[in-house]
Amino acid sequence: MPLYRDEGIVLRTQKLGEADRIVTLLLRSRGKVRAVGKGVRRTRSRFGARLEPGMLVDVQCYEGRSLDTVTQAESLASWGEAIARDYATYTAAAAMLETADRLTEEHEPTLQQFLLLSGALRSMAERAHDPGLVLDAYLLRALAVAGWAPSFHDCARCGAPGPHRAFHVASGGTVCSVCRPPGSASPAPETLALLAALLAGEWVVADASDVRHRREGSGLTTAFLQWHLERGVRSFRLVEREQPPGRPPARSALGTAG
Amino acid sequence: MYEGAVQDLIDELGRLPGVGPKSAQRIAFHLLQADPDDVKRLVEALTEVKQRVRFCQTCGNVAEAEQCRICADARRDRTSICVVEEPKDVVAIERTREFKGRYHVLGGAISPIDGIGPEDLRMTELMSRLASGEVTEIIIATDPNLEGEATASYLARLLRPMGLRVTRLASGLPVGGDLEYADEVTLGRAFEGRRLIDV
């Protein structure tokens, strides 16, 4: 059976049998694959610790009929460990990993999704920005990579130059007063500016945004994603958006990150 | 495919975790050839376990009365509680004979991707146990994986403001293993949790 080696991010793991796990990996050049990690739940496993969700690994697998088998794994970055130390970051990262799993197809290479997810996980592990903002930025960009880029300025229907006040999920973003379908939302202009900044990676604007605009933006982003995925992402229910009292501010808010 | 009762038995055995169709067939034929008394004992054990065994009202461990053997034992230390994911973990820790306190079984770990949140675990019951003020230390012994660590973070955030000593089981090298075979995550944690040698 052919062996292959690739870099990959562990998206999720599921228990299999006595001591094995099915590991879902997003590989740099092969796309999403599902592989069995044999004996990885045993405390003496040589690479069990490297096959945890959120880890960036260099894996060697051999191809199987339905599932591949991991034969070696070397850790390149253990973001998962740093992420799990903060509960709010963990819930946001879990939502990102689940979204990546839903947006990608098995054995279809998608380098952009891989790079986007690795960047977002690194940012979360380094506490570079608020985890809720990183999650929303990731969701918007992952949708854009998948071909569903939302519009936050021009009309998503007729292309009339913006800014426009109405936002309609099914139409693909902001809509002009002529195209505005019934049931469109009317978010604050600052919310639309925040979402545009998250999509473009303008972190200075995003980090300076107000909590209520972040909350409104998160709602629109989630609705936009779920509408395109045509089913719910389970992790969203548990994402902790508000920073609990006593939690340190994001590093960028202290002026230490760009 | 076999006739009626044999196929029914294979189907039922095949529903057990870790038992595939081939294993189910092998077990079924073993039972067919076994001594009738052995089979009777197995049937009685299965019936009894469903009738008598329940979950401890205090800690969530498996019990045959309202309280499990550990919660009912007056000699156990009442000031410390070890929080674990499953009843199997209680047995693993009891085998060490190091811990003399009591346990609290959560019934799993927080896993957003599987839709399991804090409200799906026995967190409220843990909080109720702390109301008396008798407990001074909580030892978090969830699995050393991503879900287990996140559950520990959540619990620590919840419990620290209550003025309790919240500790987490150390992670490190397995006894009897070679250092060169240790993965960097485990070795890194072993360094993080290194201790002073008392001589």
Side-chain angles (χ1 to χ4, degrees), chain A residues 50 52 75 81 84 237 240, chain B residues 115 119 146 153 157 184:
Chain A
R50 297 172 183 140
E52 283 287 305
S75 137
E81 204 192 356
R237 183 178 69 86
E240 212 171 64
Chain B
E119 70 280 9
L146 192 75
S153 305
R157 202 179 75 186
E184 53 287 340

Side-chain angles (χ1 to χ4, degrees), chain A residues 104-132:
Chain A
T104 52
E105 293 293 328
E106 281 188 48
H107 305 293
E108 278 187 20
T110 170
L111 179 64
Q112 275 183 296
Q113 290 287 6
F114 172 84
L115 294 174
L116 186 63
L117 182 63
S118 56
L121 287 170
R122 187 187 303 114
S123 174
M124 276 197 180
E126 290 173 354
R127 310 274 192 273
H129 308 279
D130 178 76

Side-chain angles (χ1 to χ4, degrees), chain A residues 132-176:
Chain A
L133 286 179
V134 178
L135 170 63
D136 289 337
Y138 168 77
L139 297 178
L140 292 170
R141 291 190 218 174
L143 281 166
V145 170
W148 296 308
S151 169
F152 296 119
H153 192 262
D154 298 342
C155 176
R157 281 192 161 185
C158 68
H164 303 294
R165 285 298 311 274
F167 186 92
H168 192 245
V169 169
S171 300
T174 48
V175 280
C176 65

Side-chain angles (χ1 to χ4, degrees), chain A residues 11-13 15 17 21 43-46 49-50 52-55 74-75 78 80-81 84-88 90-91 94 97-98 101 234-235 237-238 240 244, chain B residues 18 85-86 88 110-120 143-147 149-151 153-154 157 174-177 181-186 189 192:
Chain A
L11 298 181
R12 70 177 300 185
T13 59
K15 286 181 182 174
R21 271 203 183 109
T43 48
R44 280 176 182 246
S45 165
R46 285 180 60 183
R50 297 172 183 140
E52 283 287 305
M55 298 283 262
E74 291 295 329
S75 137
S78 52
E81 204 192 356
R85 286 183 184 172
D86 180 76
Y87 184 69
Y90 167 70
T91 57
L97 293 169
E98 190 181 350
D101 191 12
R234 285 210 273 193
S235 306
R237 183 178 69 86
L238 296 167
E240 212 171 64
Chain B
E85 289 183 20
E86 303 289 347
K88 287 180 285 185
I110 299 170
S111 176
I113 207 160
D114 297 313
I116 303 170
E119 70 280 9
D120 301 308
D143 287 346
N145 53 29
L146 192 75
E147 287 87 7
E149 293 297 339
T151 309
S153 305
Y154 182 86
R157 202 179 75 186
V175 177
Y181 292 120
D183 65 89
E184 53 287 340
V185 181
T186 310
R189 288 217 198 154
E192 207 179 337

Side-chain angles (χ1 to χ4, degrees), chain B residues 65-118:
Chain B
E66 275 191 7
Q67 283 200 317
C68 70
R69 179 179 54 82
I70 297 167
C71 288
D73 188 348
R75 290 167 301 174
R76 305 286 299 212
D77 181 9
R78 289 184 162 272
T79 61
S80 60
I81 290 179
C82 179
V83 180
V84 295
E85 289 183 20
E86 303 289 347
K88 287 180 285 185
D89 304 327
V90 173
V91 178
I93 295 171
E94 280 297 282
R95 276 204 304 261
T96 67
R97 296 181 186 176
E98 288 283 333
F99 180 63
K100 306 291 179 211
R102 291 160 191 239
Y103 294 90
H104 190 85
V105 181
L106 291 175
I110 299 170
S111 176
I113 207 160
D114 297 313
I116 303 170

